[in-house]
Amino acid sequence: MQRFLVAGTALLLLAGGVGCEKKVVQKAQERSIRVTVNQLEKRVFRDQLPLQGTIASVNYATISAKISGTVEAMKVSAGDRLKKGDVLFEIDRQILKNQVVVKADEINVKAAALKSAELSLKTAEISFAQAKRDYERAVSLNESNAMSRSNLESYETAYKTADMAVQTAQSAVINAQVQLKQAESNLAIAKKNLDDSVVRAPFDCVIFDTFVEENEYVSAGKNILKLENPDELEISCYLSAAYYQKVKEGETIVEFKDLSGKVVGSSKLSYKAPGVDPESRTFKIKAQVPRSVNLVSGMLCDFNLVMSEKESWGIPADALLLRANNRYIVYTVTAEGRAKEADVVRGVNDGGYCEILNHAELSGKEIIITGQTFVNNNALLDITNRPAQEK
């Protein structure tokens, strides 16, 4: 009896052990990745560069003394605003006026000397004509034995002497003409010096600086004043040679910005250097500043250089992912709600958006714009910016 009890107990224990080891195997649920999506957007893309340039006057000059002398009258001071033709300063006016008078009197003297030389020439020509006739008559008489050889020689000597007197008188006339011309040149120089003693503003301007004082002696070439036209300004800077073919004089737009970065005016490129500097590999550009923009020469100014502007399709630049060999991709959404990799060709980056040049391949497709860094090809997606009924 006990033997049957032991056997029954063993069977019950064996059955209980088998039941504990039995397990139900369940399949693990696939995890979805939370993302947001959007389609390509049509917008205006600008290929532009943010730059900084120096403001300078289009018209500026450093005025120097044209002649040596004492600055008799300084008519301006720093800060004065002048019109073209206004007097700036005068140098030794009285001395130069006296020189003009002296040179004018010298012309009168030289003119009188020329008149005298011309009269002497006429006298010599009359004497020469008479001596020539006498000599020709003597030759004729000598040939007919009516005049001695000695008398013929006397007439011949008188004829040659008269000829030399004419040549001398002609030389005197030429010399007098040269001296008169020289005197006229001297008068012109004296008048020019007198004119140069009064220096006038070459254009509308403001006096920026003065380098000498009134009654100070200056030599020709000495800097006297610095002046600029503050109403006509331009901005200039240097660009990398990589942009040389992209910018065009008279076409490329320049947008001027204030300290807050707001665009306050625009113009077009007025100058592009004819070549690139071989050492720095840069070239210079300039553009006129609109009068509505409140700037002065010497300031630095931020501006945009807009090389092109066009309407095209794009997506937020952060949606693009860089892969090997400088290849860019985005992830699109399949009908099954899974991620699919797609190559993109980038265009202009502007305002956080990237132009997609092969937009036709992505037209109408949903593109992952956030969460894409956690996505792999064929990953299951949880699109959070879709309405509940579309998920």
Side-chain angles (χ1 to χ4, degrees), residues 371-382:
Q372 68 276 12
T373 54
F374 303 102
V375 173
N376 292 317
N377 214 23
N378 205 41
L380 182 63
L381 304 174
D382 177 13

Side-chain angles (χ1 to χ4, degrees), residues 94-114:
Q94 190 55 52
I95 293 176
L96 296 173
K97 286 179 181 178
N98 293 339
Q99 289 181 355
V100 170
V101 173
V102 169
K103 298 305 179 183
D105 291 341
E106 184 180 347
I107 286 180
N108 294 332
V109 172
K110 299 302 181 181
L114 175 59

Side-chain angles (χ1 to χ4, degrees), residues 315-322 328-331 349 351-354 367-373:
I315 57 173
D318 292 340
L320 277 68
L321 298 172
L322 177 62
Y328 282 85
I329 67 162
V330 294
Y331 284 107
N349 277 292
Y353 275 72
C354 181
I367 301 171
I368 300 175
I369 59 173
T370 64
Q372 68 276 12
T373 54

Side-chain angles (χ1 to χ4, degrees), residues 69-226:
T70 302
V71 179
E72 290 184 346
M74 179 66 73
K75 301 289 187 179
V76 298
S77 57
D80 289 350
R81 181 177 282 270
L82 304 172
K83 292 291 185 181
K84 179 179 180 180
D86 288 348
V87 175
L88 300 175
F89 58 88
E90 298 178 355
I91 298 178
D92 279 348
R93 291 282 294 167
Q94 190 55 52
I95 293 176
L96 296 173
K97 286 179 181 178
N98 293 339
Q99 289 181 355
V100 170
V101 173
V102 169
K103 298 305 179 183
D105 291 341
E106 184 180 347
I107 286 180
N108 294 332
V109 172
K110 299 302 181 181
L114 175 59
K115 187 67 175 177
S116 177
E118 289 173 343
L119 291 173
S120 297
L121 175 59
K122 288 183 179 180
T123 301
E125 288 173 342
I126 293 172
S127 298
F128 172 74
Q130 181 62 47
K132 182 178 180 181
R133 288 194 296 270
D134 291 343
Y135 174 65
E136 290 174 348
R137 187 181 307 111
V139 170
S140 178
L141 291 172
N142 179 260
E143 290 176 351
S144 60
N145 295 320
M147 178 176 287
S148 64
R149 181 66 184 175
S150 60
N151 286 339
L152 175 62
E153 290 175 354
S154 296
Y155 282 110
E156 183 180 7
T157 300
Y159 167 66
K160 291 181 179 180
T161 301
D163 184 32
M164 293 179 62
V166 169
Q167 296 180 37
T168 301
Q170 289 173 339
S171 297
V173 169
I174 293 172
N175 183 58
Q177 290 172 337
V178 171
Q179 291 192 20
L180 177 59
K181 188 174 182 179
Q182 182 63 52
E184 290 171 345
S185 297
N186 292 339
L187 177 60
I189 292 172
K191 288 182 176 180
K192 179 68 166 54
N193 289 338
L194 181 60
D195 291 339
D196 289 345
S197 68
V198 179
V199 180
R200 301 178 183 275
F203 47 80
D204 294 350
C205 63
V206 168
I207 305 301
F208 267 60
D209 204 355
T210 61
F211 305 118
V212 300
E213 301 293 334
E214 194 169 85
N215 297 320
E216 182 177 341
Y217 181 85
V218 295
S219 300
K222 169 73 175 179
N223 291 339
I224 308 295
L225 299 169
K226 180 183 178 182

